[in-house]
Amino acid sequence: MNLKQFLLVALLALFPFFLAAQKLSSTEKKLVRTVEQNNTEALEFLEKVVNINSGTLNKAGVEEVGMVFKEAFDAINFNTSWIPMPTEMNRAGHLFAETSGTSGKKILIIGHLDTVFEEDSPFQTFEKLNDSIAHAPGGNDMKGGDVIALYALKALHENGLLNDAQIIVAYTGDEESTGKPLSFSRKDLIEAAKRSDIALGFETSTGFNYATVARRGASGWKVEVKGKRAHSSGVFSERTGAGAIFEMSRILHEFYEQVRGEEFLTFNPGVLLGGTFVDFDAAKSSGTAFGKSNVVAQTAAVSGGLRFISEEQKENARNKMRTIVANNLPHTSATISFTDSYPAMQPTEGNKELLTQLNQVSLALKQGEVLGYDPGKRGAADTSFVANYVACLDGLGTMGTGAHTPQETVNLKTFEALTKRTAVLIYRLINQ
């Protein structure tokens, strides 16, 4: 038998298994019916948690939402705990819920309780626009995803399918603005990943037929420039030099020309101040500047963000930025500092295999093919913190539009279908 014949025989042997994956078993059909029966309740639960403000800095609100979910997980026999953060971190804490078993893949489910809408936001309440769409602060990002995961697990529980499964649910309370240090605020999430085989993230979906196998990481950077304060008549002279604002302009221009261009690498200056005196509050990302047109600027500061697909890409970009910052104009000096936030979630083979399994589930449900979404169009998320430990799939949450804006919506018509997809996927994983 030659190689071509061998491969043909092997493919024919696997074909029945492929066909089986494209069909729902009798148990899965029953699971789907349970999701259908619970969908009205799920949407009512979504409205309830959306109407509780849980802006990241509203610690009481974040914990209140956490307690609503805690009660729901208690009701389906999960062991739940609220993990508070230290007072000085100014973050509420995280909700963890867990079942202990030995069957199949050990799964970590990731969501977050907080939103970008703080207590002073005018956008506070769930409002149905029609049968399909509702305005919902944080409903898309990402209370909808939290509810999808909950009601998929509820359907599994009601069918007695979680009895020997290990599933850890981790709903963080500070995803939109992570508590520092990260070594503490993400410690419990990482420890949960080390006890798991797979992580499923329920951040907002990028489309009904997409899922996320890769996300870019996020890092902060800040440049501070000093110049020689002098009368503007002397600017450019050997004695006075260029001043801080010209030096800052040079740096930013060279960032644009020399660092820009790599696939998946982006960087953005978010706030810029310059003049005789600058007062910048990093915590609030705001400040004031004073200067006059007849005085050479003495100081300038800029704060920005950097997005990357790997640690190597991040470090290469940082080294280029350091070299540019060190090449100063006359009578100026500059420093650059970096802060780590989210690591990258790279497109590993394990992640791609999870996408294949999700695609099989979707086809079995007659929901169409599911493709991997372009990582260059996705922001960072908590899944990235565990990507070095387990295979990951993200973007499994609800559909909607306008996340992080007062026009944020959640799509109510796709909610049931996405919950079915999640329930069947988890069922297959815990039975592998």
Side-chain angles (χ1 to χ4, degrees):
M1 182 184 296
N2 60 35
L3 179 60
K4 183 180 290 186
Q5 290 170 324
F6 174 79
L7 291 174
L8 179 60
V9 170
L11 286 171
L12 289 172
L14 290 172
F15 191 66
F17 296 98
F18 178 77
L19 285 178
Q22 308 306 311
K23 296 182 179 179
L24 295 178
S25 68
S26 58
T27 300
E28 290 169 344
K29 290 177 181 176
K30 187 177 179 183
L31 184 58
V32 165
R33 288 195 294 271
T34 304
V35 170
E36 292 171 351
Q37 292 163 6
N38 291 342
N39 189 59
T40 298
E41 179 187 312
L43 294 177
E44 290 171 352
F45 189 97
L46 174 63
E47 182 172 357
K48 178 179 179 179
V49 292
V50 165
N51 283 335
I52 302 171
N53 178 275
S54 58
T56 309
L57 300 181
N58 179 10
K59 294 186 290 182
V62 172
E63 186 168 353
E64 183 180 354
V65 171
M67 291 305 102
V68 174
F69 276 102
K70 182 180 186 299
E71 183 178 349
F73 280 110
D74 286 335
I76 59 173
N77 291 343
F78 276 69
N79 297 314
T80 60
S81 60
W82 181 258
I83 302 174
M85 294 293 103
T87 302
E88 60 272 19
M89 193 176 286
N90 195 32
R91 296 295 185 272
H94 314 311
L95 173 67
F96 275 64
E98 184 171 352
T99 62
S100 298
T102 59
S103 173
K105 297 293 186 182
K106 300 173 182 177
I107 301 175
L108 172 62
I109 290 174
I110 300 174
H112 67 83
L113 304 166
D114 63 318
T115 77
V116 298
F117 302 101
E118 297 293 345
E119 289 181 281
D120 59 354
S121 168
F123 188 37
Q124 294 287 347
T125 57
F126 185 100
E127 180 186 1
K128 286 186 71 172
L129 302 180
N130 51 52
D131 289 342
S132 300
I133 303 296
H135 275 138
N140 181 16
D141 186 12
M142 67 166 289
K143 291 175 181 177
D146 296 335
V147 177
I148 283 174
L150 167 64
Y151 273 81
L153 293 169
K154 179 178 171 69
L156 286 157
H157 166 75
E158 290 177 353
N159 285 278
L161 301 174
L162 294 180
N163 295 335
D164 195 29
Q166 179 187 298
I167 297 176
I168 304 172
V169 178
Y171 286 175
T172 61
D174 61 347
E175 194 272 348
E176 298 294 359
S177 179
T178 49
K180 303 295 188 295
L182 291 171
S183 58
F184 194 94
S185 67
R186 290 302 174 268
K187 175 184 176 182
D188 299 285
L189 182 64
I190 291 171
E191 289 301 317
K194 291 178 180 179
R195 295 192 287 118
S196 304
D197 300 314
I198 287 168
L200 302 178
F202 285 82
E203 278 282 3
T204 175
S205 172
T206 52
F208 189 77
N209 294 105
Y210 287 102
T212 300
V213 296
R215 281 183 175 275
R216 294 189 297 168
S219 166
W221 54 272
K222 182 179 180 182
V223 175
E224 296 177 284
V225 174
K226 298 296 181 184
K228 186 175 182 179
R229 183 178 173 183
H231 195 283
S232 64
S233 62
V235 70
F236 311 138
S237 69
E238 185 176 343
R239 181 175 180 178
T240 300
I245 291 178
F246 270 123
E247 169 63 354
M248 182 64 81
S249 300
R250 177 199 68 82
I251 290 170
L252 294 178
H253 178 69
E254 291 191 23
F255 282 180
Y256 182 84
E257 291 293 334
Q258 298 181 35
V259 186
R260 177 177 59 98
E262 284 187 38
E263 185 179 22
F264 301 131
L265 178 70
T266 58
F267 51 93
N268 178 61
V271 58
L272 170 64
L273 298 168
T276 306
F277 303 109
V278 165
D279 181 17
F280 178 66
D281 185 337
K284 296 181 179 179
S285 193
S286 64
T288 59
F290 169 80
K292 292 186 175 182
S293 61
N294 62 351
V295 178
V296 176
Q298 180 176 252
T299 186
V302 63
S303 180
L306 176 72
R307 303 285 175 140
F308 50 90
I309 198 62
S310 67
E311 288 297 302
E312 180 183 15
Q313 187 179 59
K314 180 188 79 174
E315 288 304 322
N316 286 342
R318 285 182 173 185
N319 287 333
K320 290 179 183 178
M321 295 167 86
R322 289 185 183 104
T323 299
I324 291 168
V325 166
N327 187 26
N328 306 125
L329 293 176
H331 290 292
T332 67
S333 62
T335 60
I336 187 168
S337 57
F338 298 95
T339 55
D340 284 321
S341 183
Y342 288 86
M345 171 182 160
Q346 297 188 60
T348 66
E349 290 305 313
N351 298 359
K352 294 174 185 177
E353 172 59 25
L354 279 176
L355 177 64
T356 297
Q357 294 183 63
L358 177 67
N359 183 52
Q360 290 172 349
V361 169
S362 184
L363 291 174
L365 288 165
K366 300 186 179 354
Q367 294 181 359
E369 186 179 15
V370 180
L371 305 173
Y373 194 70
D374 180 357
K377 298 178 180 178
R378 290 239 62 167
D382 276 335
T383 317
S384 300
F385 287 107
V386 305
N388 286 335
Y389 306 97
V390 290
C392 297
L393 194 62
D394 205 349
L396 302 177
T398 190
M399 290 185 62
T401 60
H404 289 207
T405 76
Q407 287 76 45
E408 183 171 358
T409 68
V410 61
N411 187 314
L412 306 177
K413 285 295 185 184
T414 58
F415 204 87
E416 180 182 299
L418 291 169
T419 307
K420 291 177 182 177
R421 190 186 288 178
T422 296
V424 175
L425 176 64
I426 293 174
Y427 171 74
R428 291 189 178 184
L429 291 173
I430 62 177
N431 284 282
Q432 285 183 359

